[in-house]
Amino acid sequence: MRELMREVLTSFMSNKMRTILTGLAMGWGVFILIVLISSGNGIVNGMHYNFRAYNIGMVTLTPRETSLSFGGKERGWPVYFFEEDCDLLKKRFGDTIAQTIPVISRPVRAHREKYYTNTIIDGYRPGYAPAPNVQLAEGRDINDLDLQQMRKVCLIPKRLKPVLFPEDTTSVIGRNLIINDVVFEVIGIYEPLLKENKTRNVVAPLTTVKHIFCPDGKLSKICLQTQHLTTSELNVAFNASVVGVLAAQKGFSPSDRRAVKVDNLYDLPMLLNSIISGLYAFVIIVGLATLLTGIVGISNIMLIAVKERTRELGIRRALGAKNRQIVTMVMTESVVISVIFGYVGMIMGIGLMELMAWIVASTGNAHIFYNPTIAVSHALVVMFLMVIVGLIAGYMPAKHAVGVKLTEALSAV
């Protein structure tokens, strides 16, 4: 092996330009492959990051008017939801529904001193955060005691703080806010999980909102946090079952699609998975095409190199070198070139993508192109492919080298 590597190194030093040209073909192919894989990972990670807060398991039911006559009733009568309907759905679909989230929403006017804004107040129970996709940023959230005692407390969105408290640079927790002439205490500030969420709604205990703004107890919507719905078929069946239960409870036709609006985001993860699968398929196809181009390029250059060394190889055979030794030498040269220049191409590709990640992050758009790195397992696969490419690219020239007749090889100039 040592003698073989010495011969390979001597061949490289004697034919530097040929070695560089051969290596450039491999290095460029690996460079493009790394850039493709890393770019694909960056886009996929960005998609996952952007969709991370969309509650895929959240189903929202909004009551509307009937569009079909049913049970002696004419169409056009309104459907109403109450908290009892949440209990009914939880009882009927306990294995599927992890949590029911009743919501009462009313338009209000909030003000403090001379600062006013029109907004919406949402009444929730504790544990509501998955429905509007928000998280607590400061202070505390509503709790069971707030609900039981119908406390006049509220949380405001972070974007409303400079509107209602523009002069306060410190915490506004404990300050009063007047909502439709009713004094509420600000106990917390929340923020959306996604920058795209421009919510301005004020959050308060459900019982408080119900008592002050909606004494008839009619809910604006019911949010269902679901589980175990892993396919389109299961989601479609769940939607139909929920509407069927509500239809029987409220007295409208179960085939009336306008009586209850059902918003189920089950299509979103499937669409996302389809896009990601298509993207990975594209990366694989282009990567394989790039590797194939590299194989052809290296093989062609190696074939030319073998033809130039016909006399040298003929002398080796005349001195007793076996065909297997000639083939091994040529293929070893190809593998060594592929690994060395391929590794350089891989390092350059990783470096470029790290630079791109830094540039994107510095512009504040990291959520678009997020963490474009290549996994260690992928890097090992690329290293393995370099060896395979070197073997494939060197095989045909090696076979050609031993296929030339000895007399022709010795007479070559």
Side-chain angles (χ1 to χ4, degrees), residues 161-177:
K161 179 181 176 181
V163 176
L164 295 170
F165 300 90
E167 300 172 355
D168 294 285
T169 57
T170 58
S171 175
V172 298
I173 305 302
R175 303 292 298 276
N176 289 336
L177 183 65

Side-chain angles (χ1 to χ4, degrees), residues 13-159:
M13 297 304 296
S14 302
N15 302 276
K16 296 180 181 179
M17 183 58 66
R18 185 198 72 204
T19 302
I20 293 174
L21 291 177
T22 306
L24 285 177
M26 183 62 193
W28 178 252
V30 173
F31 172 81
I32 295 298
L33 181 61
I34 294 297
V35 170
L36 283 172
I37 294 176
S38 299
S39 299
N41 287 336
I43 295 173
V44 169
N45 291 336
M47 293 173 67
H48 282 301
Y49 181 83
N50 288 325
F51 285 101
R52 74 194 186 283
Y54 283 102
N55 289 289
I56 307 305
M58 190 62 63
V59 178
T60 303
L61 309 174
T62 306
R64 299 194 299 186
E65 294 183 349
T66 61
S67 61
L68 299 175
S69 300
F70 185 78
K73 297 180 181 179
E74 295 293 329
R75 66 177 185 175
W77 57 273
V79 176
Y80 298 115
F81 289 162
F82 299 92
E83 289 187 70
E84 294 77 12
D85 299 317
C86 294
D87 300 332
L88 173 64
L89 293 175
K90 179 62 176 175
K91 182 178 179 180
R92 294 291 298 272
F93 303 97
D95 294 337
T96 304
I97 297 177
Q99 178 185 197
T100 58
I101 305 175
V103 188
I104 295 179
S105 300
R106 291 293 183 270
V108 294
R109 190 182 194 192
H111 73 93
R112 186 193 67 85
E113 297 178 355
K114 61 181 179 180
Y115 306 107
Y116 292 81
T117 187
N118 292 320
T119 183
I120 293 175
I121 188 167
D122 288 333
Y124 283 111
R125 294 174 179 171
Y128 65 93
N133 284 326
V134 298
Q135 62 184 357
L136 185 67
E138 184 181 344
R140 71 170 180 88
D141 215 331
I142 57 177
N143 56 37
D144 292 329
L145 202 57
D146 296 328
L147 207 68
Q148 294 169 10
Q149 298 182 359
M150 292 188 290
R151 291 174 174 173
K152 298 180 181 66
V153 294
C154 69
L155 289 88
I156 62 173
K158 198 171 185 178
R159 61 180 297 146

